Amino acid sequence: MDNAAVMRNRPPRFGLGVQSKNGPHGTDPFFEDLLAGMEEALDLAGASAFLRQFTSYGEELEAYPRWAESGDVDAVVIADSQEDDSRAKLCLELGLPVVILGGPPVDGASLVDVDNSGGMEMAVNYLSGLGHKVIGRVSGPKHLHHTKSRSMAFDQALERRGVTGLSVEGDYSAASGDLRTREILSVATPPTAVIYDNSMMAVAGLGAAKDLGLEVPSDVSLLAWDDGPACRLASPPLSVLSLDVHELGRTVADVLMETYSGAVQTVVHVPTGRIVQRGSTADPAHVRTS
């Protein structure tokens, strides 16, 4: 039976491949929440989605021809686009419709565009507005498209606000959040606030700051990109740049259905997130004198 026949005789099924950032058994909370939102919306349309973790970019590339040949997957979501990324092009050549999450755009593929630049500018403006003059950042891998967008926005926002910045590269894992936090807080003039590019690194960074004998937020304020239960349950609870990831998943699902139905190159721009202030951020001068 060919793929078209398979598609006509079962509900649509979509695949989301991600490269594991926290070991073979650890799923990034971002993608867990994203998938939950996708499944909720797709269920209403009689469709379904699955998430497959890969250990490397190469392993992910090898999976797409199998998905296309089996006829079990009707469209795919490409996330964490990187330099010289050939995944979307490969899938399109295999006849698999593609939705790219976060950009950049690719001819023939749909796009759910996330405002990474605006979010980073918001984060820097918030922390500098509290009075922080040296702001650190633990970024994601530099080869990722959205990391580059955030890094450029970070540098530009620092310059506009007249504050100093210090950035180190993590890999989104908890281990890198711990290690990079120890590094960035041990320099001669450490930052009084640190932005993390995901929640796993931020939660681990909070633990590292405590291990170094620092009080949060009296000695250093911490701000996580993306919210989640771990951020809310931390002590103190972590302030976040919050994007409604569950709703983002619903948006991805809607674009998947449109693309699967033939509306290729659908483009949707997701609103910029918002700052949710909790116990991990404060005006450094006010806290130390209170």
Side-chain angles (χ1 to χ4, degrees):
M1 182 179 294
D2 62 21
N3 288 358
V6 173
M7 290 168 58
R8 286 193 297 270
N9 286 281
R10 60 159 175 78
R13 189 166 187 250
F14 307 120
L16 166 62
V18 301
Q19 293 161 48
S20 178
K21 304 176 180 70
N22 209 31
H25 305 297
T27 303
D28 189 326
F30 173 89
F31 287 109
E32 291 180 340
D33 202 5
L34 182 81
L35 182 65
M38 289 172 59
E39 290 176 328
E40 183 178 287
L42 290 172
D43 185 60
L44 296 175
S48 63
F50 67 91
L51 184 150
R52 183 68 49 81
Q53 286 198 108
F54 300 103
T55 59
S56 68
Y57 176 81
E59 184 184 26
E60 184 177 348
L61 274 181
E62 292 173 356
Y64 293 122
R66 296 195 299 269
W67 290 7
E69 184 178 1
S70 70
D72 290 337
V73 180
D74 300 306
V76 298
V77 179
I78 300 292
D80 290 343
S81 295
Q82 54 190 285
E83 296 173 358
D84 301 321
D85 199 321
S86 62
R87 292 175 296 168
K89 181 180 178 181
L90 172 63
C91 289
L92 292 170
E93 290 174 348
L94 292 168
L96 288 172
V98 172
V99 175
I100 296 173
L101 175 58
V106 173
D107 286 345
S110 294
L111 172 66
V112 177
D113 185 36
V114 178
D115 187 11
N116 285 287
S117 297
M120 183 57 72
E121 182 177 8
M122 184 183 298
V124 172
N125 290 346
Y126 164 67
L127 292 171
S128 62
L130 288 177
H132 295 280
K133 302 300 183 183
V134 182
I135 299 174
R137 173 173 170 238
V138 180
S139 78
K142 291 180 180 179
H143 66 278
L144 296 181
H145 169 77
H146 62 261
T147 300
K148 290 184 175 182
S149 297
R150 294 178 188 182
S151 296
M152 184 178 297
F154 181 69
D155 292 340
Q156 292 173 345
L158 292 171
E159 184 176 357
R160 281 193 289 268
R161 299 291 293 195
V163 297
T164 301
L166 174 62
S167 185
V168 294
E169 182 182 7
D171 63 8
Y172 286 136
S173 71
S176 75
D178 180 283
L179 176 62
R180 299 311 184 197
T181 299
R182 294 175 189 275
E183 291 179 359
I184 204 170
L185 294 180
S186 298
V187 299
T189 305
T192 60
V194 181
I195 301 168
Y196 295 84
D197 270 24
N198 80 340
S199 61
M200 283 198 298
M201 293 194 299
V203 172
L206 174 60
K210 291 180 178 179
D211 285 348
L212 292 171
L214 300 174
E215 296 287 338
V216 177
S218 303
D219 297 312
V220 61
S221 288
L222 306 182
L223 178 69
W225 194 295
D226 295 330
D227 201 358
C231 292
R232 296 188 289 272
L233 294 173
S235 180
L238 286 168
S239 297
V240 297
L241 175 65
S242 178
L243 178 67
D244 190 337
V245 179
H246 191 86
E247 184 60 31
L248 176 62
R250 294 181 60 87
T251 299
V252 171
D254 290 343
V255 175
L256 271 169
M257 288 302 299
E258 292 180 19
T259 303
Y260 165 75
S261 299
V264 295
Q265 293 198 272
T266 297
V267 177
V268 174
H269 299 281
V270 178
T272 306
R274 62 188 179 92
I275 299 292
V276 178
Q277 181 168 352
R278 300 191 181 114
S280 70
T281 53
D283 175 344
H286 172 74
V287 171
R288 289 189 180 115
T289 58
S290 60

